Amino acid sequence: MSSDGVVLSRDCEATQVPYGGVQVLPAGTRVRVTQSLGDSFTVTTERGEMMRVDGKNADALGRATPQPSAAAAPVEFSEKLVWDQLKTVFDPEIPVNVVDLGLIYACQITPVDGPAGSGHKIDVKMSMTAPGCGMGDVLRADIERKLSALPAVKEVHAEIVFDPPWNPGRMSEAAKLQLGLDLDSGSSLPMYPR
C-alpha cells in the first residue's frame, strides 16, 4: 500500500522502525502511509524515517481507527482462534503477519483455574528477522495485548528468542509468494547465504 502524502492534523506518538524508539511527530508533519495492516500504520517522513503509528492515532493521519473484525456470534476459545489472532500482528517493515513470516516458534496453551474461573494461559516463543531489531518489544506487546483479549484467556506471556536464528526458510509459502521470493530455486537473500 502506498498513498500520497498526508499532513498530520495533530501531534502524534510514533515508534521508529526498526530501532523501537518512541517520539512525537508534530502536527503539520508530512508523511506517506506505506502500510496499513492489523491495527497500525507504517509511515515514512519527508526525512526518510520509517515510523509505526498505532491505530489509536489514525485520526491524525485522516484515517478511521481500525476496528477489530466483528464476529457474527460469540466466539469460543480454540487453538485456531489463537493462531488466527496471531495472524493479525504484522511486521511494520514487511507486509506479512508474524505467523507467516515464521517468527512464531512455539505457542503453548495450558488450562488454568483461578478465582475468576477456569481459562487458558498462553505462552508464545517468538523471534525477530534480525537480532538487533528494536521492534521486538513492540511486537511482543501487540501479541500479548491481542491474545489477552480472547475469551477465557487468563494469562499471556510472549518471549523473544534467537535460538535457532530466524531465516527466510521459516516463512510460509504464502509469505514467500507475497514477497516474490523463490527460495527453492537456489537463489538466496544476500544476508542469508545458503
Side-chain angles (χ1 to χ4, degrees), residues 11 15 37 51 58-59 65 67-69 72 100 119 134 151 153 159 163 167 186:
D11 290 355
T15 304
L37 297 168
M51 309 293 285
D59 64 302
T65 303
Q67 299 296 320
S69 56
D100 287 331
V153 171
E159 177 186 3
D163 188 24
N167 67 68

Side-chain angles (χ1 to χ4, degrees), residues 22-194:
V22 177
Q23 70 181 53
V24 174
L25 296 174
T29 301
R30 180 173 287 282
V31 298
R32 179 182 214 90
V33 178
T34 59
Q35 182 171 296
S36 174
L37 297 168
D39 58 0
S40 66
F41 302 88
T42 302
V43 302
T44 54
T45 67
E46 289 183 319
R47 296 184 311 205
E49 299 169 304
M50 185 180 290
M51 309 293 285
R52 179 182 185 263
V53 176
D54 284 335
K56 67 183 180 187
N57 291 314
D59 64 302
L61 297 167
R63 304 282 179 109
T65 303
Q67 299 296 320
S69 56
V75 180
E76 269 191 50
F77 181 86
S78 68
E79 184 175 353
K80 179 183 180 330
L81 184 65
V82 171
W83 285 99
D84 287 348
Q85 190 74 339
L86 286 169
K87 286 184 175 185
T88 69
V89 177
F90 287 84
D91 184 294
E93 292 180 281
I94 306 168
V96 176
N97 68 69
V98 295
V99 173
D100 287 331
L101 267 179
L103 297 181
I104 305 300
Y105 285 9
C107 180
Q108 183 176 2
I109 302 167
T110 312
V112 295
D113 289 318
S118 62
H120 304 279
K121 176 183 177 195
I122 304 172
D123 289 295
V124 175
K125 290 194 184 295
M126 61 179 289
S127 193
M128 303 302 296
T129 56
C133 180
M135 296 304 291
D137 286 338
V138 174
L139 293 178
R140 182 180 48 75
D142 280 356
I143 286 171
E144 289 177 344
R145 177 178 49 82
K146 288 185 174 198
L147 293 181
S148 292
L150 294 177
V153 171
K154 303 295 183 191
E155 184 180 339
V156 178
H157 176 70
E159 177 186 3
I160 298 172
V161 298
F162 293 105
D163 188 24
W166 180 88
N167 67 68
R170 297 188 65 89
M171 289 189 286
S172 70
E173 290 302 316
K176 292 175 192 174
L177 191 63
Q178 181 179 347
L179 297 174
L181 300 176
D182 184 7
L183 300 177
D184 296 327
S185 70
S187 66
S188 65
L189 298 174
M191 66 290 266
Y192 298 102
R194 290 193 178 266

